[in-house]
Amino acid sequence: MGSYSFKILPHPSDVKLQITASTKEELFQGALAGMASIIDAELSKKTQIVKENIEVQSLDFDTLLVDFLNEVLAKTDISHAVFNKLKIKKLTDNFFQTEIEGQKSDYFGQEIKAVTHHGLKIKQDKSGYYQVIILFDI
Amino acid sequence: MKKEDLIKINDYLWEIAQSFRSDMLVPARFFANEKLMGDILKDRSLEQLINVCTLKGIKRYGLAMPDIHEGYASPIGGVAAIDIEDGIISPGMQGYDINCGMKILYSEYSEAEIKDKISKLAEKIYQEVPSGLGKGRKIKMNMYDLDKILEKGAQKLVDDGYGEKEDLENCEAGGSLENADASTVSLLAKKRGQNQVGTLGSGNHFLEIQKVSEIYDEKIAEIFGLFQNQVVIMIHTGSRGLGHQVATDYIKEFMVLMDKYQIKVPDREFACVPFKSPEGQRGFRASQAAANYAWANRQMITYYVRKAWENVLGKKAGTLRALYDVAHNIIKLEKYKINNQLIELAIHRKGATRAFPPHHPDIPAKYQEVGQPVLIPGSMGTTSYILHGAEEAEQSFYSACHGAGRTMSRHEAIRKVQGKELKKEMENKGIIIKVGSVFGLAEEAPQAYKNISEVVEVVHQAGLAKKVVQLEPLAVIKG
């Protein structure tokens, strides 16, 4: 079973998120959960569950992650929901098909304008863990 | 970057030679004094400014204003003037919040005359103008009207009765850019924009009720309709989710096309294509449409602020008149003399306010003798400034700073500043606070920014714009 973790790093004007994950799939899950954590939505137990399908084709694996998060961001804006769970259908180095699940919310603590490609590089360390730092424009 | 790498041109202007890095096409120049230099050298903003100097078609210099700080692609405060014949268009060089900008409305009242009503007014404005975070406005705009907004901007709303003709006269580009084309904006972007016209957003976006606290130039203040202790309202917001999506869409598209056009950039966020290519032209028209959306957004907020004003002060209170509305994240076509030839340039401003001088054909008749009002907000709870455009600003392609400029990350600000205490501190100074989140308040704490007075002094001394009045906050309204 895979695992992931994320933490916010300092940046003068925006938000930098560092994600570490044992697999590529967990890297996407970790990035999604990290983004939801930045949005910091107010949720109640009775909140309505929302499911959406996403399909992204990208230039490469680095871009795929950012393009996926930007797709989620658009759905967040349109459906007023914050998404933090994935059901992956297909993941290659430039294609991602997934169902995302989240909850409706009337209030987001933080608005993310966009997920940027700035300084983006997914790396794999000696123990096989993936790591990436993503800059969010807020 | 070390201070020894910089060439001092004068007390307010510094240069990095073109020879500093082999891929620079022009030298870099930025406006700062010795006091601001410490913060500028602390982050990666100058490295990012050097990156701006590598953009194909850039003319004269890669420029940065005195509020320069680290962003992505260009630093915040960056200006790039790109030749449209052989140069590129780069959405990342204007930022995701297309036409983020400022608008000021001025009243006929002094603070003393309506002091007891300010709190109620702030509360009413807070109710009327939602942040739009989570849920948007209750009314969802139909696609036909949305397309009209994308192509006509604030003019569409004024035609529909949401403002006065004078609002358009006192707005950059009349609140409507003619090259906008709604068909170049994706359905996803339009869906994001359907219920966000008239919403403020979060982050550093805000509404403030302010008073004129100091007058530096009596004659020009009078032309601007400003007087001592006068109550004014400042609006800071942009194109919301629609603009963010337009930038996202075209950065993604341009990234794929870079190989085709054999363009290399030092940061992927500069993703660009030739300005005159079919893709570049679509991106430009979409960017202009998003800019129109932002002007419509600030116009709709103006409508709701006026509604709140009338509700609290009554119909006899007179209207709030628009002083000016100006963008600080935008790509605009402007003409400049380069090597004695007048050519059209795509001016990319990212966190830089356009500041046209006296007698410029693109400013309203009433400001012809003195230049356009240049609106520069301070950080939350501190002073803001109104300046006027000056001829010396030709050196910066008529651009000035757009604010104070951050020195501390939002995360660090939240860690160091207690939102509740900051709220209390500001209330003790007599400032009324209406905010959705105290965390949001903490991340925008004045300690997280440079000293606005210092930054504006550099703008004034360098001649980018000249000080007219200082403004002090009476109430802060934030999402």
Side-chain angles (χ1 to χ4, degrees):
Chain A
M1 194 172 146
S3 63
Y4 67 81
S5 62
F6 59 81
K7 66 175 176 183
I8 290 170
L9 306 176
H11 184 273
S13 49
D14 296 309
V15 171
K16 242 182 195 178
L17 183 76
Q18 183 182 62
I19 307 131
T20 307
S22 57
T23 64
K24 285 182 176 179
E25 288 77 7
E26 288 296 325
L27 188 70
F28 276 70
Q29 173 60 68
L32 183 69
M35 187 163 83
S37 143
I38 295 168
I39 293 170
D40 190 26
E42 270 179 21
L43 302 171
S44 74
K45 283 179 185 169
K46 287 181 184 171
T47 312
Q48 193 188 332
I49 300 288
V50 185
K51 289 181 182 177
E52 295 271 3
N53 288 304
I54 287 183
E55 209 176 281
V56 194
Q57 178 92 45
S58 293
L59 204 58
D60 52 39
F61 193 59
D62 290 348
T63 316
L64 188 66
L65 179 60
V66 169
D67 289 345
F68 160 66
L69 292 175
N70 272 319
E71 285 283 329
V72 176
L73 207 53
K75 295 208 183 282
T76 299
D77 219 6
I78 293 164
S79 56
H80 310 305
V82 61
F83 298 92
N84 56 8
K85 285 183 195 161
L86 282 178
K87 202 180 276 178
I88 296 175
K89 293 173 182 168
K90 191 176 180 186
L91 176 62
T92 71
D93 279 352
N94 60 4
F95 181 77
F96 189 41
Q97 192 181 26
T98 184
E99 180 187 271
I100 53 170
E101 186 184 308
Q103 284 178 273
K104 285 259 186 196
S105 170
D106 276 350
Y107 185 79
F108 299 159
Q110 181 68 64
E111 181 176 45
I112 297 174
K113 290 176 183 166
V115 190
T116 80
H117 300 266
H118 176 70
L120 188 75
K121 185 80 198 150
I122 297 171
K123 292 175 186 164
Q124 202 173 9
D125 67 17
K126 283 176 187 166
S127 54
Y129 271 74
Y130 292 90
Q131 195 175 77
V132 67
I133 295 171
I134 302 173
L135 184 71
F136 294 80
D137 183 348
I138 60 169
Chain B
M1 176 67 62
K2 293 175 196 152
K3 201 173 168 193
E4 301 85 83
D5 298 322
L6 307 174
I7 303 158
K8 187 173 182 176
I9 305 294
N10 59 45
D11 286 348
Y12 305 99
L13 181 61
W14 302 78
E15 183 172 305
I16 302 165
Q18 191 181 333
S19 57
F20 184 80
R21 217 173 74 186
S22 62
D23 56 349
M24 288 169 77
L25 300 173
V26 291
R29 281 193 168 189
F30 65 99
F31 298 89
N33 62 9
E34 293 281 355
K35 275 190 193 170
L36 295 175
M37 192 61 81
D39 283 328
I40 293 171
L41 289 168
K42 257 197 311 202
D43 67 19
R44 295 176 58 236
S45 49
L46 292 182
E47 188 188 317
Q48 293 182 339
L49 179 59
I50 289 169
N51 290 343
V52 171
C53 300
T54 69
L55 295 176
K56 193 164 183 278
I58 189 165
K59 294 294 176 194
R60 290 189 194 159
Y61 306 99
L63 288 160
M65 303 299 112
D67 54 338
I68 178 175
H69 60 282
E70 183 181 337
Y72 52 84
S74 165
I76 315 295
V79 177
I82 310 277
D83 189 338
I84 61 169
E85 293 303 325
D86 65 359
I88 52 85
I89 177 168
S90 170
M93 185 63 230
Q94 84 179 321
Y96 286 90
D97 197 356
I98 298 170
N99 189 0
C100 185
M102 309 300 306
K103 189 181 188 93
I104 289 186
L105 309 171
Y106 62 97
S107 76
E108 297 165 12
Y109 289 93
S110 68
E111 182 200 9
E113 288 172 297
I114 57 166
K115 199 169 175 54
D116 58 334
K117 300 272 178 44
I118 303 256
S119 179
K120 202 173 168 197
L121 179 63
E123 179 61 38
K124 195 69 189 161
I125 292 175
Y126 183 70
Q127 287 166 10
E128 289 286 348
V129 186
S131 69
L133 270 66
K135 58 182 176 188
R137 292 207 79 96
K138 280 178 188 152
I139 301 164
K140 205 169 176 178
M141 192 166 279
N142 66 51
M143 285 294 181
Y144 176 81
D145 282 342
L146 187 65
D147 280 356
K148 288 282 173 211
I149 279 182
L150 290 171
E151 293 189 349
K152 299 270 181 197
Q155 199 189 317
K156 152 77 177 155
L157 292 183
V158 170
D159 288 348
D160 289 353
Y162 292 101
E164 307 297 324
K165 199 171 154 239
E166 191 191 49
D167 294 343
L168 302 177
E169 286 162 10
N170 295 329
C171 181
E172 178 177 347
S176 175
L177 290 168
E178 60 181 5
N179 287 309
D181 178 353
S183 73
T184 59
V185 175
S186 70
L187 183 62
L188 196 58
K190 289 178 185 176
K191 280 185 176 175
R192 290 180 75 172
Q194 269 186 304
N195 64 352
Q196 291 186 339
V197 178
T199 63
L200 200 54
S202 75
N204 60 356
H205 292 165
F206 65 83
L207 258 157
E208 272 189 9
I209 304 171
Q210 303 168 330
K211 70 168 178 180
V212 175
S213 51
E214 196 172 349
I215 296 180
Y216 304 104
D217 189 320
E218 289 279 355
K219 191 181 141 227
I220 297 181
E222 200 182 325
I223 291 168
F224 283 179
L226 302 171
F227 57 86
Q228 187 70 34
N229 292 321
Q230 180 184 19
V231 173
V232 303
I233 292 174
M234 180 178 259
I235 302 164
H236 179 199
T237 188
S239 51
R240 311 287 289 108
L242 181 139
H244 310 162
Q245 190 63 45
V246 167
T248 300
D249 289 342
Y250 282 94
I251 287 172
K252 184 179 178 189
E253 183 179 338
F254 290 0
M255 217 177 271
V256 178
L257 291 165
M258 301 262 298
D259 269 355
K260 173 183 162 186
Y261 288 110
Q262 297 178 318
I263 298 172
K264 283 201 163 69
V265 288
D267 179 340
R268 276 183 152 188
E269 278 295 312
F270 279 117
C272 52
V273 295
F275 186 87
K276 289 233 160 151
S277 66
E279 301 92 344
Q281 283 298 290
R282 271 198 303 108
F284 177 59
R285 289 174 188 280
S287 156
Q288 307 293 280
N292 282 349
Y293 182 91
W295 275 312
N297 187 30
R298 289 195 287 276
Q299 182 63 42
M300 192 58 111
I301 288 174
T302 298
Y303 170 80
Y304 285 108
V305 168
R306 283 174 174 155
K307 199 174 153 197
W309 178 267
E310 192 181 303
N311 184 286
V312 174
L313 292 154
K315 281 195 174 172
K316 286 180 185 168
T319 189
L320 291 165
R321 295 178 71 183
L323 173 71
Y324 210 56
D325 181 320
V326 64
H328 51 232
N329 281 5
I330 202 159
I331 302 172
K332 290 276 294 287
L333 291 180
E334 293 171 15
K335 285 182 180 165
Y336 290 88
K337 255 190 183 173
I338 304 287
N339 300 329
N340 282 327
Q341 267 196 322
L342 194 64
I343 62 167
E344 199 157 45
L345 301 170
I347 307 292
H348 292 59
R349 294 189 178 94
K350 185 182 182 187
T353 306
R354 192 200 72 174
F356 277 167
H359 310 299
H360 194 286
D362 292 342
I363 60 173
K366 68 188 274 196
Y367 302 139
Q368 274 295 316
E369 292 305 312
V370 296
Q372 71 161 80
V374 179
L375 317 177
I376 302 182
S379 54
M380 186 186 59
T382 65
T383 52
S384 294
Y385 292 83
I386 298 172
L387 298 88
H388 69 97
E391 192 46 59
E392 299 99 296
E394 208 273 344
Q395 62 179 317
S396 65
F397 295 101
Y398 297 124
S399 309
C401 73
H402 87 310
R406 290 194 79 97
T407 56
M408 193 190 286
S409 76
R410 292 166 200 269
H411 197 56
E412 191 184 354
I414 290 172
R415 205 160 39 82
K416 286 188 173 166
V417 181
Q418 294 293 319
K420 277 183 190 166
E421 278 176 25
L422 177 65
K423 186 168 183 267
K424 211 168 160 187
E425 204 178 294
M426 287 201 283
E427 282 168 345
N428 286 341
K429 284 185 192 166
I431 304 170
I432 296 152
I433 310 289
K434 302 284 174 197
V435 288
S437 141
V438 286
F439 286 109
L441 202 64
E443 67 178 29
E444 290 302 312
Q447 298 91 309
Y449 283 83
K450 293 175 196 177
N451 180 337
I452 183 66
S453 302
E454 195 69 52
V455 171
V456 167
E457 197 53 33
V458 172
V459 169
H460 180 83
Q461 295 295 344
L464 305 183
K466 293 288 183 181
K467 290 196 287 188
V468 180
V469 303
Q470 183 193 62
L471 305 166
E472 259 179 34
L474 300 172
V476 177
I477 299 138
K478 264 179 64 65

